[in-house]
Amino acid sequence: MLTLLCWLSLPASALRPAPDVRAEVESVLAGAVARAATEDLAAAVSLAGRIESRVGPFGAVRYERALALYQAGELKRARTAYDDVLALVPDHAGALYDRGELALLAGDRDAARRDLEAAAKLRPDHWVVAYRLAQIACEDGRYGDTETHLLDALHRGLDLGMLVSDPAWRPLMKVPDARRTIERMVVVYGSDALLKELESVP
């Protein structure tokens, strides 16, 4: 197999993979971007750009670029990069989830809800999507929906201790109805130790 550098030195016309090997090529190229991101964000972003200009667009490569930006704290650039992923692969569950989290961090709960609900349809098996939807519902004062989403997350593997340890839930502890909802979930589905930990949260 050609090395990545050899690939990128070939004429663009020689780089278009046949449909039957495209998935394998995409996986290799995305892995290269992911590995580059562990060393140097700029190098990873540059590599992703070179791949796209020479080989063509790949959803997985764009996603690794967006994820590298997110993990480096380049949140505005990351959100734009996730837009690019979803322009190419509209049902990319990871990009939808990550962009939803970024929207939530920016205080755009409507955009976050749209992306997370779309991600939930694609990945109904993962607890984290339901967990974030529970957070949004709680912030909106929809406490029945909060419980429904938390139950869904619990059935899919959520550790209820996240409600106490996740800083995103701390402001909600100061809202009486929200705190009662969280306490009820911990009493019914948690442990005595977790309830004591929750009671120590001001």
Side-chain angles (χ1 to χ4, degrees), residues 33 40-49 61-86 95 98-99 102-103 105-106:
V33 174
D40 183 349
L41 172 65
V45 170
S46 174
L47 175 58
V61 172
R62 285 188 178 184
Y63 179 72
E64 291 301 335
R65 176 183 182 275
L67 185 60
L69 289 165
Y70 190 0
Q71 292 174 338
E74 297 275 355
L75 303 188
K76 288 184 180 177
R77 290 177 68 197
R79 195 165 177 180
T80 299
Y82 285 122
D83 291 342
D84 292 341
V85 177
L86 292 162
D98 291 349
R99 190 175 71 174
L102 284 171
L105 286 171

Side-chain angles (χ1 to χ4, degrees), residues 29 39 101 118 120 169 202:
L29 295 176
E39 302 286 327
E101 280 232 325
W169 288 83

Side-chain angles (χ1 to χ4, degrees), residues 12-160:
S13 60
L15 298 178
R16 308 294 177 191
D20 58 335
V21 297
R22 183 174 174 84
E24 183 179 347
V25 169
E26 181 172 14
S27 176
V28 170
L29 295 176
V33 174
R35 286 190 297 278
T38 65
E39 302 286 327
D40 183 349
L41 172 65
V45 170
S46 174
L47 175 58
R50 290 201 315 275
I51 289 169
E52 183 141 342
S53 66
R54 302 288 292 162
V55 189
F58 290 93
V61 172
R62 285 188 178 184
Y63 179 72
E64 291 301 335
R65 176 183 182 275
L67 185 60
L69 289 165
Y70 190 0
Q71 292 174 338
E74 297 275 355
L75 303 188
K76 288 184 180 177
R77 290 177 68 197
R79 195 165 177 180
T80 299
Y82 285 122
D83 291 342
D84 292 341
V85 177
L86 292 162
L88 187 62
V89 187
D91 60 350
H92 195 294
L96 283 164
Y97 174 77
D98 291 349
R99 190 175 71 174
E101 280 232 325
L102 284 171
L104 194 54
L105 286 171
D108 188 350
R109 289 204 298 269
D110 289 338
R113 186 183 307 106
R114 282 193 301 274
D115 280 347
L116 293 171
E117 286 175 349
K121 289 176 184 172
L122 295 165
R123 287 295 310 271
D125 56 319
H126 203 295
W127 63 266
V128 73
V129 180
Y131 174 72
R132 287 301 177 208
L133 286 169
Q135 179 189 333
I136 292 169
C138 200
E139 289 174 353
D140 286 345
R142 296 180 289 112
Y143 302 118
D145 289 343
T146 302
E147 291 191 23
T148 299
H149 288 308
L150 282 175
L151 278 174
D152 192 20
L154 279 168
H155 291 146
R156 285 162 173 69
L158 168 69
D159 176 352
L160 203 55

